[in-house]
Amino acid sequence: MSSHLQWMVIRNCSSFLLKRNGQTYSTEPNNLKSRNSFRYNGLVHRKTVGVQPAADGKGIVVVLKKRAGQRKPVSTYEKITINKNSRATLSSVRHIIGKNNYRRDLRMAALRRASAILKSQKPVVVKKKRTRAAKTA
């Protein structure tokens, strides 16, 4: 079944839909922007990209949907764990998507999601408030 036909079937009646603030969001896996749109949908395309935080809380996992083996759900997804510094991680994501010609239209969305995940994994630094010494007259 073509991806356009699948989209026409699930666009208004999916179990992943959320309607809030006049917008329609989607919670399906591999939807980078959580929007209910054909472009970002993670169910209907043969090739999809997903970015998730790693299980240990350090780094990210890039999930790619393989073109071959669509009928075998266990082996459909390829997970690549990247645990480097921020710049190297983003470079790796850029190369995985761009250099392999794998859904180039999702490159910026994947980079933004990876960047947000990496930023959330950094420890929060609490700034100390400077106090003035009390004046003595």
Side-chain angles (χ1 to χ4, degrees):
M1 194 180 332
S2 74
S3 58
H4 291 284
L5 182 59
Q6 288 178 6
W7 172 245
M8 294 304 286
V9 170
I10 71 163
R11 71 181 182 152
N12 289 327
C13 57
S14 172
S15 63
F16 295 107
L17 291 181
L18 290 174
K19 294 184 180 180
R20 292 190 180 147
N21 302 329
Q23 303 249 336
T24 306
Y25 300 103
S26 183
T27 59
E28 79 237 357
N30 297 341
N31 188 331
L32 290 171
K33 287 201 168 186
S34 298
R35 282 191 193 159
N36 186 36
S37 69
F38 177 74
R39 180 179 181 183
Y40 297 111
N41 194 286
L43 300 174
V44 298
H45 293 289
R46 282 201 173 166
K47 292 180 169 184
T48 60
V49 177
V51 179
Q52 304 165 350
D56 61 350
K58 295 178 182 177
I60 62 170
V61 177
V62 179
V63 182
L64 302 175
K65 194 175 188 181
K66 298 179 193 172
R67 281 192 69 198
Q70 296 280 327
R71 291 164 284 158
K72 300 174 185 173
V74 174
S75 62
T76 301
Y77 295 103
E78 178 184 0
K79 296 184 178 184
I80 304 166
T81 304
I82 305 172
N83 187 5
K84 303 176 183 176
N85 60 17
S86 297
R87 187 173 298 202
T89 300
L90 295 177
S91 177
S92 296
V93 172
R94 186 179 297 116
H95 282 84
I96 288 170
I97 296 170
K99 300 287 183 187
N100 295 331
N101 294 331
Y102 196 92
R103 291 292 303 269
R104 286 185 174 179
D105 59 323
L106 297 180
R107 185 181 55 114
M108 271 316 289
L111 288 173
R112 285 181 183 221
R113 188 166 185 114
S115 179
I117 290 171
L118 291 171
K119 188 176 179 183
S120 73
Q121 291 174 346
K122 283 187 177 179
V124 177
V125 178
V126 179
K127 292 184 179 178
K128 293 181 181 178
K129 289 188 177 181
R130 294 172 51 178
T131 57
R132 292 185 182 181
K135 289 185 179 179
T136 55

CSV table of all heavy atoms in Angstrom, one decimal, residues 47-81:
chain,number,residue,atom,x,y,z
A,47,LYS,N,11.2,5.1,4.8
A,47,LYS,CA,12.4,5.5,5.5
A,47,LYS,C,11.9,6.6,6.5
A,47,LYS,O,11.3,7.5,6.1
A,47,LYS,CB,13.4,6.2,4.5
A,47,LYS,CG,14.0,5.2,3.5
A,47,LYS,CD,15.0,6.1,2.7
A,47,LYS,CE,15.9,5.2,1.8
A,47,LYS,NZ,16.8,6.1,1.1
A,48,THR,N,12.3,6.3,7.8
A,48,THR,CA,12.0,7.3,8.8
A,48,THR,C,13.2,7.5,9.7
A,48,THR,O,14.1,6.6,9.7
A,48,THR,CB,10.8,6.9,9.7
A,48,THR,OG1,11.1,5.7,10.3
A,48,THR,CG2,9.5,6.8,8.9
A,49,VAL,N,13.3,8.6,10.3
A,49,VAL,CA,14.4,8.9,11.2
A,49,VAL,C,13.8,9.3,12.6
A,49,VAL,O,12.8,10.0,12.7
A,49,VAL,CB,15.2,10.1,10.7
A,49,VAL,CG1,16.3,10.5,11.7
A,49,VAL,CG2,15.8,9.8,9.4
A,50,GLY,N,14.4,8.7,13.6
A,50,GLY,CA,14.0,9.1,15.0
A,50,GLY,C,15.2,9.3,15.9
A,50,GLY,O,16.2,8.7,15.7
A,51,VAL,N,15.1,10.3,16.8
A,51,VAL,CA,16.1,10.6,17.7
A,51,VAL,C,15.6,10.5,19.1
A,51,VAL,O,14.6,11.2,19.4
A,51,VAL,CB,16.7,12.0,17.4
A,51,VAL,CG1,17.8,12.3,18.4
A,51,VAL,CG2,17.2,12.1,16.0
A,52,GLN,N,16.2,9.7,19.9
A,52,GLN,CA,15.7,9.4,21.3
A,52,GLN,C,16.9,9.6,22.2
A,52,GLN,O,18.1,9.4,21.9
A,52,GLN,CB,15.2,8.0,21.4
A,52,GLN,CG,14.1,7.7,20.5
A,52,GLN,CD,13.8,6.2,20.4
A,52,GLN,OE1,14.5,5.4,20.9
A,52,GLN,NE2,12.7,5.9,19.7
A,53,PRO,N,16.6,9.9,23.5
A,53,PRO,CA,17.7,9.9,24.5
A,53,PRO,C,18.2,8.4,24.8
A,53,PRO,O,17.4,7.5,24.7
A,53,PRO,CB,17.1,10.5,25.7
A,53,PRO,CG,15.7,10.4,25.6
A,53,PRO,CD,15.4,10.3,24.1
A,54,ALA,N,19.5,8.2,25.1
A,54,ALA,CA,20.0,6.9,25.4
A,54,ALA,C,19.5,6.4,26.7
A,54,ALA,O,19.0,7.2,27.5
A,54,ALA,CB,21.5,6.9,25.4
A,55,ALA,N,19.4,5.1,26.9
A,55,ALA,CA,18.9,4.6,28.1
A,55,ALA,C,19.6,5.0,29.4
A,55,ALA,O,19.0,5.1,30.4
A,55,ALA,CB,18.8,3.0,28.0
A,56,ASP,N,20.9,5.1,29.3
A,56,ASP,CA,21.7,5.5,30.4
A,56,ASP,C,21.7,7.0,30.7
A,56,ASP,O,22.4,7.4,31.7
A,56,ASP,CB,23.2,4.9,30.3
A,56,ASP,CG,23.9,5.5,29.1
A,56,ASP,OD1,23.2,6.2,28.3
A,56,ASP,OD2,25.1,5.3,29.0
A,57,GLY,N,21.1,7.7,29.9
A,57,GLY,CA,21.0,9.2,30.2
A,57,GLY,C,22.1,10.0,29.6
A,57,GLY,O,22.3,11.2,29.8
A,58,LYS,N,23.0,9.3,28.9
A,58,LYS,CA,24.2,10.0,28.3
A,58,LYS,C,24.2,9.7,26.8
A,58,LYS,O,24.3,8.5,26.4
A,58,LYS,CB,25.5,9.5,28.9
A,58,LYS,CG,25.6,9.9,30.4
A,58,LYS,CD,26.9,9.4,31.0
A,58,LYS,CE,26.9,9.8,32.4
A,58,LYS,NZ,28.2,9.2,33.1
A,59,GLY,N,24.1,10.7,25.9
A,59,GLY,CA,24.1,10.4,24.5
A,59,GLY,C,22.7,10.3,23.9
A,59,GLY,O,21.7,10.4,24.6
A,60,ILE,N,22.7,9.9,22.6
A,60,ILE,CA,21.4,9.8,21.9
A,60,ILE,C,21.4,8.5,21.2
A,60,ILE,O,22.4,7.9,20.9
A,60,ILE,CB,21.1,11.0,21.0
A,60,ILE,CG1,22.2,11.0,19.9
A,60,ILE,CG2,21.0,12.3,21.7
A,60,ILE,CD1,21.9,12.0,18.8
A,61,VAL,N,20.2,8.1,20.7
A,61,VAL,CA,20.0,6.9,19.9
A,61,VAL,C,19.3,7.4,18.6
A,61,VAL,O,18.2,8.0,18.7
A,61,VAL,CB,19.2,5.8,20.6
A,61,VAL,CG1,18.9,4.6,19.7
A,61,VAL,CG2,19.8,5.3,21.9
A,62,VAL,N,19.9,7.1,17.5
A,62,VAL,CA,19.3,7.5,16.2
A,62,VAL,C,18.7,6.2,15.7
A,62,VAL,O,19.3,5.1,15.5
A,62,VAL,CB,20.4,8.0,15.2
A,62,VAL,CG1,19.7,8.3,13.8
A,62,VAL,CG2,21.1,9.2,15.7
A,63,VAL,N,17.4,6.3,15.4
A,63,VAL,CA,16.6,5.1,14.9
A,63,VAL,C,16.3,5.3,13.5
A,63,VAL,O,15.6,6.3,13.1
A,63,VAL,CB,15.3,4.9,15.7
A,63,VAL,CG1,14.6,3.7,15.3
A,63,VAL,CG2,15.6,4.8,17.2
A,64,LEU,N,16.7,4.4,12.6
A,64,LEU,CA,16.5,4.4,11.2
A,64,LEU,C,15.6,3.3,10.8
A,64,LEU,O,15.8,2.1,11.3
A,64,LEU,CB,17.8,4.4,10.4
A,64,LEU,CG,18.8,5.5,10.7
A,64,LEU,CD1,20.1,5.2,9.9
A,64,LEU,CD2,18.3,6.8,10.3
A,65,LYS,N,14.6,3.5,9.9
A,65,LYS,CA,13.8,2.4,9.4
A,65,LYS,C,14.4,1.9,8.1
A,65,LYS,O,14.7,2.7,7.2
A,65,LYS,CB,12.4,3.0,9.2
A,65,LYS,CG,11.3,1.9,9.0
A,65,LYS,CD,10.0,2.6,8.8
A,65,LYS,CE,8.8,1.7,8.8
A,65,LYS,NZ,7.6,2.3,8.7
A,66,LYS,N,14.7,0.6,8.1
A,66,LYS,CA,15.3,0.0,6.9
A,66,LYS,C,14.2,-0.1,5.8
A,66,LYS,O,13.1,-0.4,6.1
A,66,LYS,CB,15.8,-1.4,7.2
A,66,LYS,CG,16.9,-1.3,8.3
A,66,LYS,CD,17.4,-2.8,8.5
A,66,LYS,CE,18.2,-2.9,9.8
A,66,LYS,NZ,18.5,-4.3,10.1
A,67,ARG,N,14.7,-0.1,4.6
A,67,ARG,CA,13.8,-0.3,3.4
A,67,ARG,C,13.5,-1.8,3.3
A,67,ARG,O,12.4,-2.1,3.0
A,67,ARG,CB,14.4,0.2,2.2
A,67,ARG,CG,14.3,1.7,2.0
A,67,ARG,CD,14.6,2.2,0.7
A,67,ARG,NE,13.6,1.8,-0.3
A,67,ARG,CZ,13.8,1.7,-1.6
A,67,ARG,NH1,14.9,2.1,-2.1
A,67,ARG,NH2,12.8,1.3,-2.4
A,68,ALA,N,14.5,-2.6,3.5
A,68,ALA,CA,14.3,-4.0,3.4
A,68,ALA,C,13.7,-4.6,4.7
A,68,ALA,O,13.9,-4.1,5.7
A,68,ALA,CB,15.6,-4.7,3.1
A,69,GLY,N,12.9,-5.6,4.5
A,69,GLY,CA,12.3,-6.3,5.7
A,69,GLY,C,11.2,-5.6,6.3
A,69,GLY,O,11.0,-5.6,7.6
A,70,GLN,N,10.3,-4.9,5.6
A,70,GLN,CA,9.2,-4.2,6.1
A,70,GLN,C,8.2,-5.1,6.7
A,70,GLN,O,7.4,-4.7,7.6
A,70,GLN,CB,8.5,-3.3,5.0
A,70,GLN,CG,9.4,-2.2,4.5
A,70,GLN,CD,9.5,-1.0,5.3
A,70,GLN,OE1,8.5,-0.7,6.0
A,70,GLN,NE2,10.6,-0.3,5.3
A,71,ARG,N,8.2,-6.3,6.3
A,71,ARG,CA,7.2,-7.3,6.8
A,71,ARG,C,7.6,-8.0,8.1
A,71,ARG,O,6.9,-8.7,8.7
A,71,ARG,CB,6.9,-8.4,5.8
A,71,ARG,CG,6.1,-7.8,4.6
A,71,ARG,CD,6.2,-8.8,3.5
A,71,ARG,NE,7.5,-8.7,2.9
A,71,ARG,CZ,8.1,-9.6,2.1
A,71,ARG,NH1,7.4,-10.7,1.9
A,71,ARG,NH2,9.3,-9.5,1.6
A,72,LYS,N,8.9,-7.7,8.5
A,72,LYS,CA,9.4,-8.3,9.8
A,72,LYS,C,9.6,-7.1,10.8
A,72,LYS,O,10.7,-6.5,10.8
A,72,LYS,CB,10.7,-9.0,9.5
A,72,LYS,CG,10.6,-10.1,8.5
A,72,LYS,CD,11.9,-10.7,8.2
A,72,LYS,CE,11.8,-11.7,7.1
A,72,LYS,NZ,13.1,-12.2,6.6
A,73,PRO,N,8.7,-6.9,11.7
A,73,PRO,CA,8.8,-5.7,12.5
A,73,PRO,C,10.0,-5.7,13.5
A,73,PRO,O,10.5,-4.7,13.8
A,73,PRO,CB,7.5,-5.8,13.4
A,73,PRO,CG,6.6,-6.7,12.6
A,73,PRO,CD,7.4,-7.6,11.8
A,74,VAL,N,10.5,-6.9,13.9
A,74,VAL,CA,11.6,-6.9,14.8
A,74,VAL,C,12.9,-6.3,14.1
A,74,VAL,O,13.6,-5.6,14.8
A,74,VAL,CB,11.9,-8.4,15.3
A,74,VAL,CG1,13.1,-8.4,16.1
A,74,VAL,CG2,10.7,-8.9,16.0
A,75,SER,N,13.1,-6.7,12.9
A,75,SER,CA,14.3,-6.2,12.2
A,75,SER,C,14.1,-5.0,11.3
A,75,SER,O,15.0,-4.7,10.6
A,75,SER,CB,14.9,-7.4,11.4
A,75,SER,OG,14.0,-7.7,10.4
A,76,THR,N,13.0,-4.3,11.5
A,76,THR,CA,12.7,-3.2,10.6
A,76,THR,C,13.6,-2.0,11.0
A,76,THR,O,14.0,-1.2,10.2
A,76,THR,CB,11.2,-2.8,10.7
A,76,THR,OG1,10.5,-3.9,10.3
A,76,THR,CG2,10.9,-1.6,9.9
A,77,TYR,N,13.8,-1.8,12.3
A,77,TYR,CA,14.5,-0.6,12.8
A,77,TYR,C,16.0,-0.9,13.1
A,77,TYR,O,16.3,-1.9,13.7
A,77,TYR,CB,13.8,0.0,14.0
A,77,TYR,CG,12.4,0.5,13.7
A,77,TYR,CD1,11.3,-0.2,14.1
A,77,TYR,CD2,12.2,1.7,13.1
A,77,TYR,CE1,10.0,0.2,13.8
A,77,TYR,CE2,11.0,2.2,12.8
A,77,TYR,CZ,9.9,1.4,13.1
A,77,TYR,OH,8.6,1.9,12.8
A,78,GLU,N,16.8,0.1,12.8
A,78,GLU,CA,18.2,0.0,13.1
A,78,GLU,C,18.5,1.1,14.1
A,78,GLU,O,18.3,2.3,13.8
A,78,GLU,CB,19.1,0.2,11.8
A,78,GLU,CG,20.6,0.2,12.0
A,78,GLU,CD,21.3,0.5,10.8
A,78,GLU,OE1,20.7,0.7,9.7
A,78,GLU,OE2,22.6,0.5,10.9
A,79,LYS,N,19.1,0.8,15.2
A,79,LYS,CA,19.4,1.7,16.3
A,79,LYS,C,20.9,2.0,16.4
A,79,LYS,O,21.6,1.0,16.5
A,79,LYS,CB,18.8,1.3,17.6
A,79,LYS,CG,17.3,1.1,17.6
A,79,LYS,CD,16.8,0.7,19.0
A,79,LYS,CE,15.3,0.7,19.0
A,79,LYS,NZ,14.7,0.4,20.3
A,80,ILE,N,21.2,3.2,16.3
A,80,ILE,CA,22.6,3.6,16.4
A,80,ILE,C,22.8,4.5,17.6
A,80,ILE,O,22.2,5.6,17.7
A,80,ILE,CB,23.1,4.4,15.1
A,80,ILE,CG1,22.8,3.6,13.9
A,80,ILE,CG2,24.5,4.8,15.2
A,80,ILE,CD1,22.9,4.3,12.6
A,81,THR,N,23.6,4.0,18.6
A,81,THR,CA,23.8,4.8,19.8
A,81,THR,C,25.1,5.7,19.6
A,81,THR,O,26.1,5.2,19.2
A,81,THR,CB,24.0,3.9,21.0
A,81,THR,OG1,22.9,3.0,21.1
A,81,THR,CG2,24.2,4.7,22.3
